[in-house]
Amino acid sequence: MHAVAPYLFRCFNKGLEGRIEERYSTLDNLGDKDLFYILRDFLNANTGAYKIVEDSKQVYQFESLSINEKTREIFGWFNVGTYGMKTDIINVQTGDVDFEKAKNNAEIIKHYIHYFIPKGFNEGMAFMHSYRGIGVKTLFYTLFSQYFKDLTGLVIQMNPLAYDNAVNAWLDATAKEVKLTKFVGLSDIADQVRLLGHGEQELIIKPPRRGGMGKLRDYLNPNSDQMQAVEIMGDYGAQVKTVVEMDGKRRTFNVGRNKTSALCEIEVEEDLIGDDGVPDFVKINSWVRDIVGEYAHTLYPGLKIEVPSS
C-alpha cells in the first residue's frame, strides 16, 4: 500500500571530455552551482500556498522541510492532489455519502520525500513515497528539471536506482514469507458500495517448520523454483511480494516478471504508518535514513562518505 522508490540524480555535461561515464558533472560543482542548494531553493520556493498545474489537473506544495547542510540531506512532505472531476466521498463503515467533492476540489495525499546529495560525487539519491501505486516522481521531475535547466543550462537525470545495483547484501537475505494480494469482485451490493466495488484478499505463505523459502536472489532468477512459483502466483493475484530478513531487519519487495520495476520499490513496514493512514514522519525518516546508508556504503565501497544516521 505504502512504498518508497529510490532514484539517482545525474547530470550529463556534453562540454566535458572523455568517455561517456566520465562526462557526468560532480553535483556540487556545476559551474558555480551546487545541486544541493539548487534543490533547497526550489523546494523552499514551493512551500506555503498550493501551486496549480493545469495540464495535469494537479495541485502541490512542499511542507515541513528539514534541510541539513552538514549531511547534505533534505526531507519533508510533498503534498499533492488532483482535481477536475466531481465525486462522492462515502463513509466506508456506513456506505453513506459524507459529502460531495466538487470539480474544483482536490484530495491531498502526503508523500514523504528524502534527498541525499553527497559532496564530491556525480550522483545523488532521491527517495519518493507512493500510496497504492500512485507516486509523485513524474510531477516532481517535470517541475524540478525545468527549474534546473533554466538555472544551469544543463539537464538533470532522475532514473530508478535498481536494487540489484545498490544493496547486493540483501540479495542473500533469507525469505521469511511470500504474500499474494488478489483483488476480487463482490456479489453483495452493500459490500460493493462499502468497498467501492472490490475487495482484497491476501494470502501469506510461510516456510514449513524445518524448511526454508530460499534467498531474495532466488526470486529474481528466471530459472529458479521460486521464480516459477512467483509466475504462477502472478496469474492469480495483482501483486506478489517477498519478505526478507537480515541482521534483524526486514524489507518487503515486489517481485515478478519485470525485474527492473520489482527491484526499484521498497514497501513501507506497517508499523511506520500512523492511525490516520499517513506515514509517521519520525519513523519513516529513520527507516529511510537506514536505507540511504545501505545504498551509500554499497555504491561507494571504501570511500569516505558521510552518511546520514537515524
Side-chain angles (χ1 to χ4, degrees), residues 29 32 35 41 65 74 85 94-95 111 114 118 137 149 168 184 197 199 206 216 230 234 242 246 254 264 266 270 296:
N29 186 23
D32 61 345
L35 176 62
D41 293 345
L65 294 175
I74 304 173
M85 181 178 178
T94 65
H111 294 273
H114 199 121
K137 184 263 181 178
K149 187 174 183 179
N168 291 317
V184 294
K206 296 186 177 182
L216 175 59
V230 166
T242 183
M246 181 177 67
N254 292 332
C264 287
I266 308 169
E270 291 184 4

Side-chain angles (χ1 to χ4, degrees), residues 26-47:
T26 303
L27 296 181
D28 61 318
N29 186 23
L30 302 168
D32 61 345
K33 303 290 192 301
D34 182 332
L35 176 62
F36 176 83
Y37 294 108
I38 295 174
L39 185 59
R40 177 202 64 183
D41 293 345
F42 168 77
L43 297 174
N44 280 332
N46 288 285
T47 59

